[in-house]
Amino acid sequence: MRTLCASTLIGEFFVIGFAGLVAMKDPDLSTSTVWMVSGIAMFLCVALCGVVTRPGGIAFGWALQVALVASGFVVPTMFFLGAVFAALWWASVHYGRKIDEAKARFAAAQSGSTGSSTPDAV
């Protein structure tokens, strides 16, 4: 799960950076405000990569997805991109858990088959 979620978050890192460039064109927003908000969001994406498997990591990821969609009020294209990344986040969490379960079953089957065989005494 960690790999899939981290891949999604790194993609979001770049999208947020590019959205910051677009938001700079808005005359109502100062450059420092745009980059402070974008920088914090970009930092959170990278930081969340390391804590996604800890308690609350997935919930925090969902909060980041909501914020990404809400950024569409500043850069309208982000409504679409936020929805796409929210769907990717869901898929990363959902299929990542399935992959983790399959790996655990495989490891249990492997340890069970190697542990039960005993060499014959001669």
Side-chain angles (χ1 to χ4, degrees):
M1 176 173 67
R2 182 178 182 158
T3 303
L4 289 173
C5 291
S7 299
T8 301
L9 290 166
I10 294 302
E12 285 183 35
F13 172 88
F14 289 107
V15 167
I16 292 168
F18 290 129
L21 291 172
V22 173
M24 281 180 35
K25 301 291 183 190
D26 189 344
D28 296 333
L29 300 173
S30 70
T31 303
S32 60
T33 301
V34 168
W35 286 116
M36 182 174 48
V37 172
S38 296
I40 289 170
M42 292 168 75
F43 171 77
L44 290 175
C45 286
V46 173
L48 189 56
C49 288
V51 297
V52 74
T53 56
R54 296 184 188 245
I58 299 298
F60 190 67
W62 278 115
L64 188 62
Q65 303 311 311
V66 169
L68 194 63
V69 172
S71 70
F73 289 109
V74 178
V75 179
T77 306
M78 292 305 291
F79 283 125
F80 172 73
L81 289 173
V84 167
F85 274 100
L88 285 171
W89 181 254
W90 174 84
S92 297
V93 171
H94 179 75
Y95 292 112
R97 285 181 177 157
K98 286 188 177 217
I99 290 169
D100 289 348
E101 290 169 4
K103 281 183 181 179
R105 282 194 308 271
F106 181 75
Q110 289 298 319
S111 67
S113 66
T114 58
S116 63
S117 63
T118 56
D120 293 333
V122 201

